[in-house]
Amino acid sequence: MKLLLIILSVLMLSLLPAQPNVTSADIVFKNGNVYTANDRAPKAQAIAVRADRIVYVGTNAGAQKYVGPNTRVVDFHGNTVLPGFADAHQHLSGVGFREMTLNLEGTTSLEDLLSKLKARVDQTKPGEWVTGRDWIETHWQPPVFPTRWDLDKVSPNNPVILGRADGHGAVANSAAFKLAGIDKSTPNPFGGEISKDKQSSEPNGMLLDAAQGLVKRKVPPTTREDAERAVVLGVKRDIELGWTQIQDAGGSYEDIDIFKKLYASGAIKLRIYKAVYGPGPNATRLLSEGPIVGEFQNRLTVRTIKVVSDGALGSRGAALLAPYSDAPDTSGFLTVKAEELRPMLIDALRKGIQVETHAIGDKANRFILDEYETALKAVPASERKVADPRWRVEHAQIVNPTDIPRFAKLGIIPSMQPSHAIGDLFFAPSRLGLDRLQGAYAWESFIKSGVVVPGGSDAPVERGEPMIEFYAAVARKDQKGFSTTGWHPEEAVTRAQALKMFTMWPAYAAFEEKLRGSIEVGKLADLTILSADIMTIPELEILKTRCVMTVINGEVVFEGT
Ligand SMILES: [Zn+2]
């Protein structure tokens, strides 16, 4: 009887289908041209993934033992495989809203802007608002801001406000000014400027930085549904371009509620490292409730306060140590008060909250370095919840060369956007003069000084495409291959450095370098697969390279055709 049972069970076992190998993976990717961003093993052919983790990196032959009966095998046919790209500075819902409102990106002239506006006004009911964004006049002939009188020609009755691509300026028409009650006598709000016509001193339609709020307050608020749709559209665009994480540079708890809802329903898969604006109620709430780390399978983290310390260079709102070379009557302005910032910085150190501060001009950069330094001295490492707080300066665009070494010394991370250097190519030399270009967009100087430089796009200020950013970082030329005198070609980075700018270094800036950022066993399986080898092809071909697949947490979330 006993013997019979043994015989029977042996027989049954042999009839069962082959047991999956204990080491079998959910997906095996093979025949890839894999760059790992791991210096100890920089190249590979194959990757095996189980659940959300990488379990093998190596040769095709070595990956074979991870193939079980239920393993999906994806043949890359030699495509280039990189660690999942991360955009260290993006405004996600702005990217989505750009898809939803009058998109003036790529507008070639004032006439072009007016004809796009007219088409929109013609479809809008009388008296209803028309809002749009992302025009930039720097390429126009002549490169001058539009005025309210220009807009009035095509929109005499509908109020209009159109944001400049940098987000630091907007032009509104007379109907909008009337609704907002702005006239000759309206004073400039703190941190902003109502531009005036030089002859008549009448407001000319341009509103800089905080002054935009005077009109924007009158625009009916977007609904919660609009905001959700914007996030879904932004995420869709991002993963199709190959981003696997974006670091969302500012916002509110309302945004976080939207993300949570969309993650819970499975509507979005992109990783989001979210900052909330401060000083103010959102920062206060983060300081009191504490961070959110790695929710929704390591997709959502909120542990950062975003501060804005000045405006932008294009609209001359960036705070400079000396006047603008092309407008000697102004040096820009700071947009945050030290006395409001200081207690928040101290509190953030004690509670382990990261701070990232927008600083474009050399004065803003020095200001925030000084404020960070004061806070770091006031709260020694032993009294901090996170000893190395990895505070960041967003943009670090024009930095006095004597301030560059202070970043490494203080452990501050300059988070920079390569496309700004190719977008600003046309006006930065006149705004700043050649001398100040030393220390402007100084990626290589920063890296040599001993810091990491996480790379971002600042979309929707810029296009938000990883290939444009990668190209800008290595070429430091515009998209036609053009550069200009005094543009410091030595500040371009190598391709290996550029790869880290969009993989390992954003991971480090988010305290995630052990979790993601390179293709290594044990890390989260985030991959960006490209149509060409951007580590070796001629520079201009980088711009023609497409994303063919995006993998997040071991899941193929986008597959191109
Ligand atoms: Zn930004």
Side-chain angles (χ1 to χ4, degrees), residues 27 72 91 131 145 179 205 218 225 264 281 287 319 350 352 358 396 405 424 475 485 509:
I27 306 192
R72 179 182 172 192
H91 303 277
T131 61
F145 291 148
L179 283 173
K218 299 291 166 186
E225 286 69 38
L287 288 163
R350 293 197 199 285
H358 163 116
D424 297 4
T485 345

Side-chain angles (χ1 to χ4, degrees), residues 182-200:
I182 303 174
D183 60 28
K184 229 171 166 166
S185 62
T186 311
N188 288 331
F190 171 74
E193 189 184 311
I194 302 164
S195 295
K196 305 267 167 59
D197 181 76
K198 285 227 163 67
Q199 259 110 57
S200 64

Side-chain angles (χ1 to χ4, degrees), residues 252-549:
S252 68
Y253 272 85
E254 256 178 84
D255 304 340
I256 297 166
D257 288 343
I258 290 173
F259 297 160
K260 284 182 171 175
K261 181 185 163 192
L262 295 173
Y263 279 129
S265 70
I268 58 171
K269 299 277 174 73
L270 180 73
R271 292 185 208 284
I272 304 175
Y273 184 82
K274 172 77 174 171
V276 296
Y277 284 119
N282 286 289
T284 307
R285 183 167 164 189
L286 178 59
L287 288 163
S288 78
E289 288 182 9
I292 297 166
V293 177
E295 282 191 12
F296 303 99
Q297 292 177 288
N298 291 304
R299 283 190 170 91
L300 177 66
T301 290
V302 186
R303 60 183 302 171
T304 310
I305 293 170
K306 165 82 182 286
V307 177
V308 178
S309 74
D310 69 346
L313 187 66
S315 50
R316 297 191 190 86
L320 298 180
L321 293 164
Y324 280 85
S325 301
D326 58 357
D329 54 333
T330 179
S331 308
F333 40 83
L334 292 173
T335 55
V336 67
K337 290 176 180 157
E339 59 270 28
E340 282 168 23
L341 194 59
R342 282 176 190 162
M344 190 188 79
L345 294 181
I346 302 277
D347 207 17
L349 281 176
R350 293 197 199 285
K351 291 176 175 161
I353 297 298
Q354 187 182 42
V355 177
E356 60 176 41
T357 302
H358 163 116
I360 302 252
D362 49 9
K363 182 178 173 186
N365 276 280
R366 183 169 292 173
F367 164 80
I368 200 62
L369 286 170
D370 289 347
E371 293 301 323
Y372 280 0
E373 186 169 11
T374 307
L376 290 163
K377 276 192 183 134
V379 187
S382 60
E383 290 172 30
R384 297 175 200 158
K385 193 156 180 195
V386 176
D388 174 14
R390 302 190 189 180
W391 282 3
R392 308 166 36 154
V393 174
E394 302 301 307
H395 311 309
Q397 218 171 77
I398 299 123
V399 180
N400 187 289
T402 60
D403 287 327
I404 289 180
R406 296 178 67 196
F407 285 75
K409 205 171 138 241
L410 296 168
I412 306 299
I413 300 168
S415 160
M416 303 175 76
Q417 300 73 39
S419 56
H420 285 331
I422 66 172
D424 297 4
L425 190 65
F426 298 92
F427 62 83
S430 57
R431 296 275 191 282
L432 297 168
L434 289 185
D435 283 353
R436 269 188 292 201
L437 293 181
Q438 179 95 41
Y441 319 85
W443 315 313
E444 190 63 27
S445 293
F446 270 116
I447 295 169
K448 283 201 184 113
S449 80
V451 292
V452 300
V453 179
S457 74
D458 207 8
V461 176
E462 302 283 351
R463 295 279 289 277
E465 297 182 19
M467 291 306 104
I468 295 179
E469 297 302 330
F470 192 94
Y471 164 81
V474 299
R476 209 177 163 86
K477 293 173 191 149
D478 82 354
Q479 293 193 42
K480 295 192 177 101
F482 171 81
S483 183
T484 192
T485 345
W487 204 243
H488 294 276
E490 73 281 7
E491 294 290 354
V493 304
T494 67
R495 300 205 191 193
Q497 289 168 335
L499 180 62
K500 289 190 176 171
M501 283 178 90
F502 294 98
T503 57
M504 267 315 280
W505 294 345
Y508 178 84
F511 301 89
E512 290 173 341
E513 73 278 12
K514 294 199 175 74
L515 206 56
R516 46 189 310 285
S518 60
I519 298 175
E520 280 181 79
V521 171
K523 284 197 171 181
L524 292 169
D526 289 5
L527 305 171
T528 300
I529 296 93
L530 301 176
S531 61
D533 184 350
I534 58 168
M535 303 301 281
T536 57
I537 55 176
E539 279 172 356
L540 282 167
E541 283 179 31
I542 296 169
L543 293 168
K544 294 183 205 144
T545 302
R546 288 172 297 109
C547 172
V548 295
M549 185 186 277

Side-chain angles (χ1 to χ4, degrees), residues 146-149 171-172 177 194-198 202-207:
T147 68
R148 70 184 163 104
W149 303 291
V171 62
F177 269 55
I194 302 164
S195 295
K196 305 267 167 59
D197 181 76
K198 285 227 163 67
E202 281 287 338
N204 62 19
M206 275 302 292
L207 300 164

